Amino acid sequence: MESAWNSFYVAGVSVVIASAIALPLAYFTSRFNFGGTVLIQTLGIVPLIMPPFVGAVAMQLLFGTNGSLNLFLGDVFGWNIPFMEGLNGVIFVQSIHYFPFILINLSASLANIDRSMEESALSLGSSGMRLFRRIVLPLGMPGYIAGASLVFIKVFDDLGTPLLLNVNNMLAPQAYLRISSIGISDPMGYVISVILVVISLLAMYVAFLAMRGKEYSTTQKGGGGLMKRELSFKEKIGVYAIILTILSVVLSPHLALTLLSFSTIWSYSIWPDAYTIAHYTEAIGSAGHFITNTMLYAGVAATIDIILGTAIAYIVWRTGIKGRKALDYMAMSALAVPGVVLGIGYLRTFHSTNMPFTDIPLTQFWLIIIIALAIRRLPFALRACTAALQQVSIALEEAAGSLGAKKYSTIKKVVVPLMTGGILAGFVTSFATAAVELSATLMLVSAESDAPIAYGIYVFMQSAAGRGPGAALGIVAVLIVALGVYVSGRIIKNADKKNAITSDN
Amino acid sequence: MSTKQQSNSISIQNLSLSFGKTEVLKKIDLEIQAGEFFSFLGPSGSGKSTLLRAISGFGPTPSGSIKIGDDDITNLPAWRRNVGMVFQSYALWPHMSVRKNVAFGLEERKIAKKEINRLVDEALDLVSLKDLADRHPSQLSGGQQQRIALARTIVVKPRVLLLDEPLSNLDANLRVQMRRDILSLQRRLGLTTIFVTHDQEEANTISDRMAVLDDGIIQQIGSPVDLYDNPVNRFVASFLGSANIISGQIKNQQFKSSNNLTLETNIKKNKKCDLIIRPQSIDISTTKKQNKNSYQLTGQVLYFEFLGQTVRYFVEVQGHEFIIDCQHTKDKKIINNNEKVFLNITTDQILFL
């Protein structure tokens, strides 16, 4: 019960803090003209490319009781700030890691507001805060709620961060510890799983209720966004100060992780004692199989996801098959199933099933990890594929049909090629996020030789001696994800350019 | 030749179609001759595009039958109909070059590579865009995209050619040029063609015959001149150009409007009806003229619009507002507002419907 309350508290407060970070950033970029817009957009993705539990370790180094900041404060002022104590630590790490979800969604929402909405309010005598409160805020609400609910669910079901911060009295860690210590027959594990699922579903439902009938922003295409104005010099300094503060906090885990990966010893000191690249040689050498495993698992899972995603998107949006909506919900519902729960569910379902043609139980076979990852990431791929499909004008398909192409041929030669950008983006998103997924894999890894990189980092980070190589491995993971994000961004941009004429259909 | 022409007529019988509970086509009957250039004309929501799409095999399955020649295509999927459709948005595939776009239908028909190349060149030649074969659609202007869409459709030698508002995305000058080009291409190939438009000028200039649609029903079928001169109802009369329409009833060979505007007629049957006169069929003058076989009305000019080649007068006659188009030539005197005028209408210019 205490765990449930803690989980709730952490997720709720994380949403509040993430909002406090994201709101000013979103508002500044949509309202003012200044050089920082690109900076903020980049800032919006940077935290996401680091697995949160890796960030947790790094932030412990900087903000923990014996972290750089508190050592510095202790030296100079003689007092400390308990950033990382217990639940606070989890909240701190999660807010910094997940605020981009709110930033991205809210910015998109604000950018879609038709300028005439604001102008007509102005001409009717509304201005300043009133205008913001009565017009801008309600119109931006759907985006905010979408982002906030995502943050809530993500924080709620995250396993790695609390585990690494040694906070065990939350739901996800409880479920994990129950199953891993007592075994899969422990009923409490399932009770917790059910609570996790129910609350995730509830959060999604609340978001749905709040957004129902309020999708104003999407009906106004090319609205041009809010009126932008120039900032005075003083205002500029203020805005930059806020942005730079946030930026430095947000980027600190990356800095710390990088330092850690190159340092010989770093503890009880503000800066590392000395630097080395030995961790990388160790990470690549002895832990190379983590990297190859990750590539294999995430690669296969992402491939499965885009194939399923394309098929489901097509069935749902372009055919009249009965039950197609249910299929969509089913695929998307994976979003509401926390990784821990999925892991437990698989263990339970398949624990007595053997892999076909072998004597190995399915749960001990690495294939189960791929399946779990594929299911976990299917919603992401499906969303990308759906968006891509919706941009393919139906006339382009009909044209093929009227020229004698059968359905299969139309899909192969017209629909899929036109969706390429979205499909690839879906692949990369699924791949990158699957590569650093810990919640589900932690439950399902049975032999270290089969484990992916996230598991490797987790194991390394458990011991003091392993933190260096763990950090090095973390940097590798960050690079994998960053590369993925960059590549998908490029692909989407190029696809948009190439297919520019479809957009005016 | 004659047998081929024969086989490409279109016959639609008792065709109805609904989107959910809304009936958009109601018992359509239509015969289109082989080689004919036929237009569907109607306001938006009249069902004209739905009818065209039903012929090409898109949209919900209709009841009734659609035949091309002797072949019933009602239940054939689109790809087996061999019906060429040019889309309003052109629907060129952005990921394929112009050549690839045009070759697509031939490839689907498993024609030999060499032959495909020859036919594609021929089709591109026909629309005079052979030079652009290696470009991508996004590098073409609207007019060029339109031609490529046309080439892509005719290269497969469809039995009929369907054009869904193909000119609506072009600017005014290009539109006039394109419609001439389309017509000349159609004549050269002898293709049975259906052209959907909401623009009566477009339909008038290009069609052999046309059907005016409203509310899912074909209101009238005929040649453009025939429809303009002899509309069968109020809708057709007002949709094709301007018309003065006054409702009233005929009693004892006398038409009487609600405001008691009275005109003699030789129609014997008593009925409620509309009186219809085209604006250019009324002679307007400040002096009284005596003409045989014509109606004389007196009224007052409310205001006028100078349109260049014509002056449009708005004249009040017994509480009814008439519009009258008067041809304008250099220095011709314009009648001022509030001036008393005499209207002269030859009896054969009036329709009682």
Side-chain angles (χ1 to χ4, degrees), chain A residues 146-182:
Chain A
S149 62
L150 206 55
V151 172
F152 187 92
I153 294 173
K154 280 284 178 189
V155 175
F156 204 79
D157 82 359
D158 189 28
L159 172 62
T161 307
L163 274 188
L164 273 167
L165 291 177
N166 215 9
V167 176
N168 293 332
N169 51 351
M170 289 174 65
L171 287 179
Q174 277 296 317
Y176 168 69
L177 293 173
R178 287 270 172 184
I179 300 292
S180 57
S181 56
I182 303 177

Side-chain angles (χ1 to χ4, degrees), chain A residues 393-407 409-410 413-414 417-418 497-502 505, chain B residues 53 58-59 78-79 82-85 87 89 91-96 101 104-105 107-109 137-138 145 152-153 156:
Chain A
S393 163
I394 198 138
L396 294 172
E397 273 178 65
E398 290 177 346
S402 84
L403 286 170
K406 289 176 194 159
K407 263 268 131 49
S409 174
T410 304
K413 291 185 181 169
V414 175
L418 285 173
K497 228 179 262 166
K498 206 174 92 193
N499 297 342
I501 65 158
T502 44
N505 284 336
Chain B
R53 290 170 59 80
F58 301 121
W79 68 82
N82 202 9
V83 160
M85 173 103 162
F87 292 79
S89 59
L92 295 178
W93 299 302
H95 61 302
M96 298 181 192
N101 262 283
F104 183 91
E107 285 166 1
E108 287 302 311
R109 285 165 175 72
S138 55
Q145 290 183 27
R152 184 178 69 177
T153 308
V156 299

Side-chain angles (χ1 to χ4, degrees), chain B residues 58-305:
Chain B
F58 301 121
T61 316
S63 65
S65 80
I66 306 171
K67 280 183 180 171
I68 297 182
D70 296 325
D71 306 318
D72 190 327
I73 60 164
T74 322
N75 295 311
L76 285 185
W79 68 82
R80 289 182 53 201
R81 293 191 180 201
N82 202 9
V83 160
M85 173 103 162
V86 174
F87 292 79
Q88 186 172 8
S89 59
Y90 316 138
L92 295 178
W93 299 302
H95 61 302
M96 298 181 192
S97 67
V98 163
R99 173 172 293 281
K100 272 284 178 195
N101 262 283
V102 179
F104 183 91
L106 299 170
E107 285 166 1
E108 287 302 311
R109 285 165 175 72
K110 307 243 177 336
I111 290 169
K113 246 235 151 84
K114 226 173 164 183
E115 182 69 357
I116 290 181
N117 278 332
R118 193 183 65 77
L119 289 169
V120 170
D121 283 340
E122 203 178 276
L124 288 175
D125 234 4
L126 216 50
V127 294
S128 346
L129 284 179
K130 211 171 166 184
D131 303 341
L132 303 182
D134 296 318
R135 298 245 188 121
H136 272 79
S138 55
Q139 299 166 300
L140 304 179
S141 71
Q144 289 167 338
Q145 290 183 27
Q146 164 75 85
R147 285 162 198 267
I148 299 302
L150 206 55
R152 184 178 69 177
T153 308
I154 58 178
V155 76
V156 299
K157 304 205 164 50
R159 298 182 71 178
V160 299
L161 177 63
L162 308 180
L163 306 162
D164 188 2
E165 307 224 20
L167 307 178
S168 60
N169 287 340
L170 303 177
D171 65 49
N173 289 331
L174 200 54
R175 206 176 302 166
V176 172
Q177 184 56 47
M178 261 323 282
R179 86 182 176 218
R180 285 180 190 147
D181 291 353
I182 289 177
L183 187 60
S184 87
L185 195 65
Q186 186 266 347
R187 294 287 187 241
R188 241 187 302 166
L189 302 174
L191 272 171
T192 311
T193 300
I194 304 178
F195 181 94
V196 163
T197 179
H198 60 268
D199 182 330
Q200 51 140 333
E201 183 191 309
E202 230 167 71
N204 283 340
T205 48
I206 207 168
S207 325
D208 295 320
R209 286 192 309 148
M210 59 197 202
V212 176
L213 278 94
D214 184 43
D215 197 24
I217 293 168
I218 292 186
Q219 304 288 331
Q220 195 174 0
I221 300 173
S223 71
V225 176
D226 191 28
L227 296 194
Y228 187 83
D229 284 348
N230 300 301
V232 293
N233 60 31
R234 194 185 171 111
F235 176 81
V236 176
S238 61
F239 194 72
L240 298 176
S242 322
N244 292 294
I245 302 177
I246 294 167
S247 351
Q249 50 187 328
I250 292 175
K251 213 175 186 180
N252 305 326
Q253 299 199 9
Q254 207 175 45
F255 173 85
K256 207 176 237 180
S257 79
S258 52
N259 292 348
N260 283 325
L261 176 77
T262 315
L263 296 174
E264 303 295 327
T265 140
N266 50 12
I267 297 174
K268 302 224 166 59
K269 198 177 156 214
N270 293 347
K271 60 174 180 180
K272 275 189 122 170
C273 72
D274 294 321
L275 168 143
I276 291 165
I277 320 167
R278 295 285 178 195
Q280 68 277 24
S281 304
I282 305 175
D283 180 68
I284 183 170
S285 165
T286 45
T287 52
K288 196 163 187 176
K289 292 179 188 167
Q290 265 321 323
N291 277 358
K292 266 190 182 171
N293 296 328
S294 73
Y295 298 109
Q296 310 284 333
L297 299 170
T298 19
Q300 193 180 26
V301 174
L302 296 169
Y303 58 98
F304 65 87
E305 289 171 349

